[in-house]
Amino acid sequence: MNSHVSTGTLLVKEPLNFWGGARVKPKDTKNSEPVYEPATGRVLCDMIPCGEEEVDEAIKSAHSAYLKWSKLSGMERARFMLEAARIIRERRDEIARAEVANNGKSITEAQVDIDVAWQCIEYYAGIAPTLSGQHIQLPGGSFAYTRREPLGVCVGIGAWNYPFQIAAWKSAPAMACGNAMVFKPSPMTPVTAVMLAEIYKEAGVPDGLFNVVQGGAETGGLLCHHPMVAKVSFTGSVPTGKKIMEMAAKGVKQVTLELGGKSPLIIFKDCELENAIKGALMANFLTQGEVCCNGTRVFVQREIMPQFLEEVVKRTKAIPVGDPMCEATRMGALISKPHMEKVLGFIKQAKEQGAKVLCGGEQFVPNDPKLKDGYFVSPCVLDNCRDDMTCVKEEIFGPVMSVLPFDTEEEVLQRANNTTFGLASGVFTRDIARAHRVAENLQAGTCYINNYNVGPVEVPFGGYKMSGFGRENGQVTIEYYSQLKTVVVEMGDVESIF
Ligand SMILES: NC(=O)c1ccc[n+]([C@@H]2O[C@H](COP(=O)([O-])OP(=O)(O)OC[C@H]3O[C@@H](n4cnc5c(N)ncnc54)[C@H](O)[C@@H]3O)[C@@H](O)[C@H]2O)c1
Ligand SMILES: C[N+](C)(C)CCCC=O
């Protein structure tokens, strides 16, 4: 793949599976599915799902790499990981362009995603040498110690909104702890995970340490049920997350679930309004609104509602939508035609239920003829929303902001928490005590104070309630990719009661 890919030019012909240290041709092409370039509607490549035999080969390849990798010291693992991070930095533009062609997000955002990916690998490379156990003194000179050990072969299953970044978020902590991984990207975005696999190989990790199998639900099921798999880390929707948990339960495998959300963003009248407006845009329109932690329920204190709406609508209308490979574009195309239709359906239903469209919410056809069949939707702000409307209750996963007025802190907290989701939340206020009180009382895995959707790799990310459990990023994720062994050492004689 070259770094000069522009919209409408990329065709992917190479095999997209990777195990044993090389790309692997699919055994059977009969269930092949076309993969589209969202900006043009053109076929980019075929996704050919892996069957039982291929999944088994990939897992066995991972297991043999695990036996070698888990015996390395943290410093040794870190060296390979730092080299992988360096190669990603070097190939940033090429990977970002492939991501844009496959996902439809703007090149500006894709470049940030690739940066976050290498930062994540670099971060966990830094942690790998620090992994250690504890020494516990016992009576009579005896003692115990703990060893932090890897789990074995871990499976990563990804969503389509951050394809490369999700693969890095899962593989980096897994590898730092001494595990191997078999990763399955979404069938809609099969292109870039295999680039990560090639980069790890180039960095010198053992063949089989990071593998990619392509496929959808069936392949995902084969991975979850495989007896040699110790853990499944899943990113995707709540309904699929429930199935993953059921499958993992059969083999008593550990699970991390990074699921969906319908997060509240609360804007108090004492906020710095300019920042709150920028925050609301960042909370809703990154990656065409296809972001799990988006703050799509924007609660605005009644007194500042007119100014907020005027400015937010003005700036939403000014968002440049179009060719995602252009530097000036700030919003690209949605992932697929059915998804675009689903998002437009949510907007239609919102209007039927009484919401007022202040801007956008329509299919958008850019002037450039090559984009005429792309899946573009103009970013939408909905007013007159009520808590019982579908657009306020369900995850739309598109560029749709629902704005809701509120009067008091107590009231808004109750309404913000009135959801089965709990991924993220946000609050804008100048009152420091209020900010921390609200953060404490919001039922969500993350609360942003006076910002939204910033995601440094050093801080843990994950859900409360039905948005899942386990964490990605931050030091705590080590807990989710390792297990603790206790070794008890007797220095005297055995005292037996028998
Ligand atoms: N919390 C997070 O970190 C996070 C991040 C990104 C996306 N998401 C969520 O992901 C969703 C959008 O992604 P999606 O549409 O790809 O989700 P999805 O649940 O449809 O699919 C996710 C992955 O699961 C696989 N899969 C589907 N059925 C399966 C089964 N029965 N067994 C095993 N694997 C199966 C898919 O092939 C895909 O790889 C949204 O709800 C979004 O909020 C969450
Ligand atoms: C926008 N963040 C903070 C990068 C999170 C992306 C992960 C969820 O879809």
Side-chain angles (χ1 to χ4, degrees), residues 161-162 165 169 286 290-293 397 448 453-455 461:
N161 58 344
Y162 285 85
Q165 190 177 290
W169 279 17
L286 286 177
E290 299 158 325
V291 181
C292 52
C293 45
F397 228 53
Y448 301 100
N453 263 344
V454 281
F461 181 82

Side-chain angles (χ1 to χ4, degrees), residues 157-162 166 169 184-188 215-217 220-221 224 234-238 240-241 243-244 247 258-261 291-292 395 397 423 461 467 472:
I157 297 181
W160 44 258
N161 58 344
Y162 285 85
I166 290 174
W169 279 17
K184 189 195 81 58
S186 161
M188 283 189 274
C224 294
F234 171 76
T235 297
S237 62
V238 174
T240 311
K243 289 184 197 154
I244 300 282
M247 289 188 279
E258 293 286 355
L259 310 179
V291 181
C292 52
E395 185 182 45
F397 228 53
L423 190 54
F461 181 82
S467 291
E472 292 195 312

Side-chain angles (χ1 to χ4, degrees), residues 134-196:
Q134 213 188 355
H135 178 275
I136 303 133
Q137 176 115 22
L138 298 173
S142 293
F143 61 94
Y145 62 92
T146 57
R147 290 169 47 85
R148 187 152 288 284
E149 295 186 346
L151 301 171
V153 175
C154 300
V155 158
I157 297 181
W160 44 258
N161 58 344
Y162 285 85
F164 192 84
Q165 190 177 290
I166 290 174
W169 279 17
K170 295 190 188 304
S171 59
M175 286 165 55
C177 292
N179 304 286
M181 176 162 274
V182 180
F183 184 80
K184 189 195 81 58
S186 161
M188 283 189 274
T189 50
V191 174
T192 52
V194 68
M195 296 171 86
L196 180 62

Side-chain angles (χ1 to χ4, degrees), residues 277 280-281 284-285 295-298 300 305-319 331 343 347 350-351 354-362 377-385 391 396 398-404:
I277 289 159
L281 297 174
N284 279 273
F285 298 135
T296 46
R297 290 184 292 143
V298 181
V300 180
M305 183 63 99
Q307 305 97 290
F308 174 83
L309 282 180
E310 188 186 335
E311 210 40 47
V312 106
V313 168
K314 190 169 99 195
R315 295 190 201 190
T316 302
K317 283 179 176 169
I319 294 173
M331 187 177 286
V343 170
I347 297 166
K351 287 194 268 188
K356 185 173 169 202
V357 175
L358 297 184
C359 64
E362 287 169 351
V377 171
S378 51
C380 175
V381 178
L382 294 176
D383 190 16
N384 278 359
C385 293
C391 65
I396 299 177
V400 186
M401 177 194 303
S402 297
V403 185
L404 303 128

